[in-house]
Amino acid sequence: MAVLEIREMGDPVLRERAREVSAEELAGSEVQRLIDDMIETKRAANGAGLAAPQVGVPLRIAVIEVTAGNPRYPYKPPIPLTVIVNPELTPLDEVTFATNEGCLSMPNVRGDLERFENVGVRHLDRQGEVQESTRRGLTAGTFQHEVDHLDGVLFVDRMADMRSLSTWEEFERHRKDDFVARIEGLVRRVGS
């Protein structure tokens, strides 16, 4: 496995809609190696997720995982390693929540936006098996963030008010405590 270069805002690959992965491609050693490298890269960067376009590959693949003690996201509930291929997301209702997100492709930047609180997720796993699940709260937000990457969308595109855009340090200094208190309430209410 290898740690890959993470593409940053301004790289055109981050603004393209990634293409579907065929069953043959998914079964092949090249895509399987890409998935392993994406997992290694996400873990090395302490990310919650990583989409293939973020490593310069315009395929509809993302890896998501949050472990206890993640220094970037200590407030996020754990998510076991999940590989999503050709995902489809469906909001289950109109309920949204206010969150504050960062992105490995936008280092040291965070901002406020709304995400759907409850989403249905349908995707292939790395073995090509269809998986369906319901994701709630912050976990739903993480899945939406990664699927956005596959559509060429960055979190800043979803921000209604750019005044909340800040560096990571300034977020921690001025806004983190209020945000974490609010998000802990969401986690208690919806469970993730």
Side-chain angles (χ1 to χ4, degrees), residues 29-147:
S29 61
E30 188 174 324
V31 168
Q32 290 297 315
R33 185 172 41 258
L34 171 65
I35 292 169
D36 288 337
D37 290 347
M38 288 173 60
I39 294 166
E40 185 75 12
T41 303
K42 183 208 73 65
R43 288 175 175 167
N46 292 314
L50 185 73
Q54 292 181 274
V55 294
V57 181
L59 294 177
R60 295 189 75 75
I61 302 171
V63 298
I64 297 170
E65 176 185 47
V66 177
T67 56
N70 181 311
R72 278 177 63 93
Y73 303 107
Y75 50 84
K76 280 192 177 221
I79 305 171
L81 177 62
T82 307
V83 176
I84 60 173
V85 180
N86 301 336
E88 300 169 12
L89 238 66
T90 306
L92 298 179
D93 51 42
E94 297 298 316
V95 178
T96 63
F97 68 99
T99 189
N100 183 282
E101 291 185 2
C103 180
L104 295 175
S105 290
M106 298 177 65
N108 200 32
V109 176
R110 295 184 63 101
D112 293 347
L113 64 150
E114 293 283 321
R115 290 288 188 191
F116 287 105
E117 189 172 296
N118 304 294
V119 295
V121 183
R122 186 175 197 277
H123 63 90
L124 301 178
D125 63 20
R126 73 181 299 171
Q127 288 78 36
E129 299 295 322
V130 175
Q131 303 294 324
E132 294 188 42
S133 62
T134 297
R135 304 296 177 153
R136 301 188 186 288
L138 279 178
T139 299
T142 300
F143 275 76
Q144 290 167 78
H145 180 107
E146 297 311 323
V147 172

